[in-house]
Amino acid sequence: MDSVSALLDSIADVGRDAFRGGYSRGVYTGAELTLREWFAEEARRRGLAVETDRNGILWGWWDAGEGGRAGALVTGSHLDSVPGGGAYDGPLGVTSALAAVDLLRARGVRPNRSLAVAVFPEEEGSRFGVSCLGSRLLTGAIDADAARNLTDADGVTFAEASRAAGIDPAHLGRDDGTLANIGDFVELHVEQGRGLIDLDSAVAVGSTVLGHGRWRLSVSGQGNHAGTTLMADRADPMIAAAQIVLAVRSVARAEDGARATVGRLQPVPGGTNVIASRVDLWLDIRHEDDAVTAALVERIHGKAQMAAAFEGCSVNLTAESRSGTVSFDPALQRTLQNSLKGAPLLPTGAGHDAAVLSGLVPAAMLYVRNPTGVSHSPEEFVERDDADAGAAALADVLEDLL
Ligand code: GLV
Ligand code: MN
Ligand code: MN
């Protein structure tokens, strides 16, 4: 039987990023593939039957009960990371699921229905731009062709990356057979803000996931020479991009509950002595009301058009992904709270595969305290005792649901 910390320690060297700090474990890159192999080995060590489905979701099956796999209880999370991410976002849920299987076995639990641990690919959308890509494909929330044609920063398509990882891209897409196997889904995740610090609790039950979306703004101007082009003669998209970044902040600050971020900006061609011909900015916008999010995007687009025109540039807006606010299944929330003797309820501003699945199957989440209150950063942290408490809470919940 392994503790969550021992399992996390066993992958602590995989995908370390010396430049950014933390971990860069892009989906289907060497690091994430190593983690997928690690998961398969750990699952087999526990007697789970390991399979990869049509969408690259990894499954470790504890087959039990008379109903076969239909309506099984599923737990799990993801192993991919943001660039320079922490050690817990994703892997905490996977390692806790494995530790919970150990605990259930040690408690002598004999399940009345099958239990599976699932690992979803590209939860972060860090490589191909669309978050929760595996669960979106599984549920049909993204068109298979659109997914196949997504490209990474090097122009590799998701279809090519899937094929290289041993997954036939022709079979990507909504998978009713696999969906029918999920009776309930419970994802454990590191808490990604100050929620549990402020509640003074190690574990919480998820209530809602804030609606979120991603857009790309491409500002085009005149690429030119940094030394020979007089300041008055420039159509520099970087200047417009700078104005747009400031506009994003002012638009979001003026709207109650809104969060808007430009976390990625790319000048093309990107030379020190080159006035860019184009600058791409990626926007992440979150608000509980989809109509407000749409209005925020419109406002930002309007300001971007003005900023671009003022610099003699033009701007193009593309929507990359959207997810509405999700409230988790109330009955399942109550079941989890009962199992955990009144653990607090906690909303989150972070996206999760559980939120994507919740449109089609009862889904729930457990959060484990993060004493730094920081996530998507190497400073993300979970105390060993809290990690153990989380795995025990997950085992309690699974035992009651089995
Ligand atoms: C994923 O963690 C997200 O909320 O973007
Ligand atoms: Mn994340
Ligand atoms: Mn995550």
Side-chain angles (χ1 to χ4, degrees), residues 78 89-90 123-124 189 352:
H78 61 98
D89 178 356
E123 190 266 0
E124 299 290 4
H189 204 278
H352 298 290

Side-chain angles (χ1 to χ4, degrees), residues 89 123-124 131 189 192 212 214 284 286 349-352 376:
D89 178 356
E123 190 266 0
E124 299 290 4
S131 62
H189 204 278
Q192 294 179 273
H212 53 104
R214 296 180 183 188
D284 177 311
R286 307 191 187 209
H352 298 290
H376 284 183

